[in-house]
Amino acid sequence: QICEKFTICENSMEMLLHNNLNLPKVTEEDGDFLTFLSFQDKCLRKISSGLYTFQTYLKYVQETFISEDQNVGSLSYSTEHLARTIRQMMINPKEVIIPDAATKESLHTKLKSTKAWTEKITIHLILRDFTSFMEKTVRAVRYMQNTRSFSV
């Protein structure tokens, strides 16, 4: 919807130049996907920590993309609920990294300081990376369910 409404596309040079958001991701550093998943607690920690981190980004999207406030609010609530649920599935839930108030405030301030003309790009990048993160989360949970490692 953002791409259509604000004519921001994946190939936008501006978007590529301003992608310094440091959003949570499952990366090559995490190793091969199946190997990564074989360490169930590590995978759940990565997912839950990432979801908690996305909370601040989603708050920014909600405040900035006002026409979608209700949808983003619902998404944010569901994301927090999923992060808590996944954290509870872990053997050692204390290993989940939950950003403290100061970290959240610092990130939120940094996001709010973006210039008006880059807001749309920032929102697009956050939602794009959140979508990618959730796709990998769904694959990971399905994999764990199919291997009967745990039940949701």
Side-chain angles (χ1 to χ4, degrees):
Q1 287 178 342
I2 289 175
C3 190
E4 291 171 13
K5 192 171 188 173
F6 300 116
T7 62
I8 298 173
C9 5
E10 286 292 325
N11 297 328
S12 169
M13 187 56 88
E14 289 178 46
M15 193 163 72
L16 296 174
L17 291 173
H18 295 288
N19 190 1
N20 60 353
L21 295 174
N22 196 27
L23 294 159
K25 292 179 176 44
V26 176
T27 64
E28 294 290 327
E29 296 167 6
D30 298 316
D32 175 68
F33 191 68
L34 294 178
T35 304
F36 176 66
L37 291 177
S38 68
F39 301 103
Q40 179 176 312
D41 223 45
K42 179 181 176 185
C43 180
L44 294 174
R45 179 179 64 240
K46 177 84 173 183
I47 291 169
S48 186
S49 296
L51 291 170
Y52 278 114
T53 300
F54 263 111
Q55 286 301 111
T56 304
Y57 290 101
L58 292 174
K59 178 182 176 188
Y60 168 77
V61 171
Q62 185 176 9
E63 292 172 353
T64 309
F65 196 26
I66 297 169
S67 66
E68 293 296 323
D69 176 60
Q70 188 173 6
N71 290 334
V72 179
S74 175
L75 178 64
S76 184
Y77 173 80
S78 299
T79 300
E80 184 177 0
H81 179 70
L82 181 59
R84 277 194 317 268
T85 302
I86 290 176
R87 184 174 179 228
Q88 292 169 352
M89 293 176 181
M90 293 178 56
I91 295 166
N92 190 359
K94 291 180 182 180
E95 291 181 350
V96 171
I97 299 167
I98 302 173
D100 60 22
T103 302
K104 288 180 190 178
E105 186 58 34
S106 173
L107 175 58
H108 190 256
T109 301
K110 177 185 171 193
L111 288 169
K112 291 299 272 183
S113 72
T114 58
K115 294 183 177 19
W117 62 276
T118 61
E119 279 182 351
K120 295 172 186 109
I121 293 168
T122 302
I123 290 170
H124 178 79
L125 291 170
I126 291 169
L127 293 176
R128 183 197 66 188
D129 285 11
F130 179 75
T131 300
S132 175
F133 189 89
M134 289 306 298
E135 287 169 351
K136 290 178 175 127
T137 295
V138 168
R139 284 196 341 232
V141 171
R142 282 187 183 151
Y143 177 83
M144 287 184 234
Q145 279 181 313
N146 290 338
T147 59
R148 294 174 174 62
S149 303
F150 75 100
S151 60
V152 178

